[in-house]
Amino acid sequence: MLMDLRKNLKKIALWAIGIYLGAGLVLYFVQDKLIFHPEVLPANYQYKFDIPFQELLIPVNKKVKLSAVLFKAERPRGMVLYFHGNSHNINRYAQYMPEFTRNGYDVLIMDYREFGKSTGRLTEAAMYEDALLMYKVARSRFAPWQIVIYGKSLGTGIAAQLAAIRDCRRLILETPYYSLQDVAASSIPIYPHSILLDFKLPANEYLPKVTAPVAAFHGTKDETVPYASGKKLADECFKPGDTLFTIKGGKHNNLHEYPLFQAKLDSLLKL
């Protein structure tokens, strides 16, 4: 009887290991679909926005082109490089552009590869490469002290990496994370995310190299990037003078509805 029990336990253990490994393989091969939710646009799609803008199609090489939009302030005194989140395309984020143009900043926002009208294969290295290209576009018009780098959600890791290698006036992060591994661990803690994830986006490794002032916004009820991840980033990686603005009750996509967010963002852009 004891031997039968051992055999049954061994079978259960083997089944459990098989399920664990099988689920891990599935997660590995579908991770891009879990992380990214792009909305592709046809090449002839025409943008329509309520504020002045210029569409840009920026060649990376013979095969890859980046779709970007330059939103124009009336009398620009600088430029915001805006790196958006993990879903849709530029259309979703255009609603936030007046927050910058009213403060006298042009805004350059690009779609990542496979998003919107951008072409090419999406990889972490490509994200950094394309962000640097956006910076070069900004530098053709403005000096480093006139450039603000802004990241929202997924874009905070890209913005942090760019600010770590290029000078800017300020780095602003909306709903930042410590790393994608940290976010994944909070959702599915039973897997070795350092091995499983192709995309790392270790903001915690980049921020210590950023010399510009850093400000971050995070809501305590964020259902996508846990507030604890952003707080950990600030606690471990912010230098003296950097600030985390905590929005009590704020969720992942509604911080712009809070007067504190609007007031602090306006203040940062006026500094």
Side-chain angles (χ1 to χ4, degrees):
M1 189 172 184
L2 183 58
M3 186 174 292
D4 290 340
L5 178 60
R6 288 176 177 172
K7 287 182 178 179
N8 288 334
L9 289 174
K10 185 176 181 179
K11 288 180 181 179
I12 292 171
L14 289 173
W15 271 105
I17 292 171
I19 292 170
Y20 173 82
L21 293 176
L25 283 173
V26 171
L27 285 173
Y28 178 79
F29 286 111
V30 303
Q31 62 180 282
D32 287 9
K33 296 186 182 300
L34 294 175
I35 297 172
F36 303 105
H37 306 282
E39 183 178 313
V40 178
L41 297 173
N44 62 352
Y45 179 86
Q46 298 294 312
Y47 289 110
K48 296 179 181 179
F49 302 117
D50 294 333
I51 59 176
F53 73 95
Q54 177 186 355
E55 183 179 358
L56 304 175
L57 200 59
I58 303 169
V60 177
N61 53 48
K62 292 182 179 180
K63 295 183 178 181
V64 179
K65 293 182 179 180
L66 296 179
S67 173
V69 174
L70 175 65
F71 291 91
K72 299 180 179 181
E74 188 174 346
R75 287 184 294 275
R77 59 191 180 93
M79 180 178 286
V80 172
L81 290 178
Y82 189 104
F83 298 99
H84 67 61
N86 70 328
S87 65
H88 296 79
N89 53 50
I90 291 170
N91 278 327
R92 177 183 176 90
Y93 304 93
Q95 61 185 307
Y96 307 123
M97 300 302 104
E99 297 172 351
F100 306 104
T101 56
R102 72 169 183 245
N103 281 296
Y105 282 89
D106 286 346
V107 190
L108 182 61
I109 176 174
M110 73 169 184
D111 267 329
Y112 310 123
R113 302 183 193 195
E114 301 182 24
F115 283 70
K117 294 194 281 185
S118 292
T119 61
R121 180 171 172 267
L122 183 67
T123 65
E124 185 169 348
M127 286 178 160
Y128 299 147
E129 177 185 353
D130 298 344
L132 186 57
L133 189 57
M134 292 299 101
Y135 183 86
K136 290 178 180 178
V137 173
R139 281 289 288 113
S140 69
R141 297 185 56 199
F142 296 100
W145 60 270
Q146 295 174 296
I147 297 172
V148 172
I149 298 176
Y150 191 105
K152 175 179 172 62
S153 189
L154 177 82
T156 58
I158 302 162
Q161 191 273 343
L162 179 60
I165 62 171
R166 290 295 184 270
D167 293 331
C168 63
R169 182 182 188 89
R170 182 176 296 278
L171 172 65
I172 303 177
L173 307 173
E174 181 185 340
T175 63
Y177 45 82
Y178 190 79
S179 66
L180 278 196
Q181 180 181 339
D182 187 64
V183 175
S186 68
S187 302
I188 313 174
I190 63 173
Y191 286 101
H193 301 92
S194 59
I195 299 173
L196 192 64
L197 286 175
D198 285 335
F199 289 82
K200 313 294 184 183
L201 293 169
N204 62 303
E205 295 181 13
Y206 303 135
L207 269 189
K209 302 173 185 176
V210 176
T211 58
V214 180
F217 296 90
H218 213 136
T220 57
K221 298 296 183 180
D222 194 315
E223 70 284 9
T224 303
V225 178
Y227 173 74
S229 189
K231 182 69 163 54
K232 181 181 177 182
L233 181 72
D235 289 344
E236 294 188 15
C237 303
F238 277 19
K239 60 187 177 296
D242 294 345
T243 308
L244 170 64
F245 296 105
T246 297
I247 311 296
K248 293 184 178 179
K251 296 184 179 180
H252 192 67
N253 289 311
N254 72 347
L255 299 188
H256 297 258
E257 299 173 8
Y258 287 80
L260 175 62
F261 177 93
Q262 294 293 339
K264 294 300 182 182
L265 180 59
D266 286 347
S267 177
L268 289 169
L269 293 173
K270 284 181 172 62
L271 290 175

